[in-house]
Amino acid sequence: DWAVGNFITDSLPCFDPSGLEATATTFTTATLDWEANGIENQWSIHVWNNTFNQEYTADAHPFTVTGLDQTLTYNAAVKAICGNGAAESEYSDTIQFTTATCEQVTGVTATATNSTTATVNWTAASTTSYQIDHGPRGHGQGSGTIVNVDANNYTITGLSPETAYSVYVRAVCEPGVYGLWSTAVEFTTPSEEGIDLADGIGLNIYPNPTSSTTTIALSGVNGTVSVSIVDMNGRVVMSDSMSCEGDCVKTMEVSGLAQGAYFVRISGENVNMVKKLVVK
């Protein structure tokens, strides 16, 4: 007859990994490595902090964790997975690592070189790419005109005379990774002197200030000239033309414009003049 006996199989040995460390960090990634202590064929990596909680499955090590944010400290632990998921170890000891920081630009200066241009300079950072944000004085960071540059200087063009501006600069360390905006640097463009390219040209604007209409009187000019009213941000808000034979007059309705200062530009083959107009 058969004799009957009982036995119990042993548990699959699945030992905790040891020696977990962050061997390299960038702005958005961290490379983790550890020592395997058994017959595991996969690992589960847990990375977390107050705002981040993610698990990754690795078939080999070192392993690079992605999707992180710059300048933050993270916790990490790893556990072994044995027998294609038949058993798991406990998590290893927890370590901490901090991602790299895209530095803030310093030493920003801005100087108006004439009535429509300004030069911006700053101290070179550990990157060669930057963003410049310029706009009317007091505008918020990132809300003005943003330009990408590959040097630590830039010339802003197309500005308006007698206008106050603010400038911010920040480093671009890699695509989508930016340093903090610099503190605001302010400058004011000087007035633009009217330029007469022929003797005896005269320009008169009246009434000025005005709340309804203003008359533009030009003398000493022959031919067609363009008349533009430009706001303090450099936008043309009204435009017209005049045909002149020595003297010419144009009356323009400005009651629809917001109160403030504007520039009246007169330009033609032999004339290029600018005068301020105040709408009240």
Side-chain angles (χ1 to χ4, degrees):
D1 292 335
W2 289 101
V4 178
N6 298 313
F7 63 90
I8 299 175
T9 55
D10 196 3
S11 61
L12 181 68
C14 199
F15 301 107
D16 305 353
S18 61
L20 177 63
E21 62 177 345
T23 60
T25 56
T26 68
F27 305 105
T28 59
T29 67
T31 299
L32 304 178
D33 201 5
W34 55 88
E35 294 179 8
N37 290 324
I39 60 172
E40 61 264 47
N41 49 22
Q42 279 188 324
W43 294 267
S44 179
I45 304 156
H46 186 200
V47 179
W48 74 98
N49 61 17
N50 291 335
T51 60
F52 185 91
N53 189 10
Q54 186 69 44
E55 289 198 14
Y56 305 82
T57 299
D59 295 324
H61 62 102
F63 180 80
T64 299
V65 177
T66 60
L68 308 178
D69 289 326
Q70 63 163 317
T71 324
L72 290 180
T73 298
Y74 293 85
N75 304 296
V78 60
K79 67 180 178 181
I81 301 175
C82 304
N84 295 318
E88 295 182 355
S89 74
E90 298 294 327
Y91 274 108
S92 67
D93 291 338
T94 298
I95 67 166
Q96 288 188 331
F97 63 88
T98 302
T99 48
T101 299
C102 188
E103 65 185 287
Q104 185 176 24
V105 171
T106 60
V108 181
T109 62
T111 305
T113 53
N114 58 44
S115 60
T116 60
T117 63
T119 300
V120 185
N121 294 275
W122 58 92
T123 303
S126 56
T127 181
T128 58
S129 297
Y130 305 88
Q131 282 190 336
I132 297 173
D133 173 13
H134 64 87
R137 176 179 290 173
H139 80 284
Q141 295 173 342
S143 65
T145 300
I146 296 179
V147 182
N148 295 299
V149 299
D150 295 323
N152 62 317
N153 60 80
Y154 182 72
T155 298
I156 304 172
T157 60
L159 303 176
S160 297
E162 295 186 87
T163 305
Y165 292 91
S166 297
V167 176
Y168 306 93
V169 182
R170 69 177 178 180
V172 182
C173 292
E174 61 184 43
V177 177
Y178 306 98
L180 296 175
W181 287 108
S182 67
T183 55
V185 174
E186 298 179 347
F187 66 92
T188 301
T189 51
S191 62
E192 182 178 24
E193 297 295 335
I195 303 172
D196 295 347
L197 300 183
D199 293 337
I201 294 178
L203 173 63
N204 189 23
I205 301 175
Y206 60 90
N208 187 14
T210 182
S211 59
S212 56
T213 62
T214 190
T215 298
I216 300 165
L218 192 62
S219 60
V221 175
N222 292 308
T224 300
V225 297
S226 297
V227 181
S228 301
I229 298 180
V230 183
D231 68 13
M232 301 302 280
N233 292 319
R235 295 186 295 261
V236 176
V237 295
M238 294 185 67
S239 62
D240 209 331
S241 62
M242 294 192 294
S243 295
C244 301
E245 295 182 2
D247 297 336
C248 51
V249 175
K250 172 72 68 173
T251 298
M252 301 184 72
E253 177 64 54
V254 296
S255 60
L257 299 179
Q259 294 183 1
Y262 297 84
F263 292 98
V264 176
R265 296 179 182 269
I266 307 296
S267 57
E269 183 176 354
N270 295 313
V271 62
N272 181 16
M273 307 182 74
V274 176
K275 282 199 173 182
K276 183 179 286 187
L277 168 67
V278 176
V279 177
K280 62 180 182 178

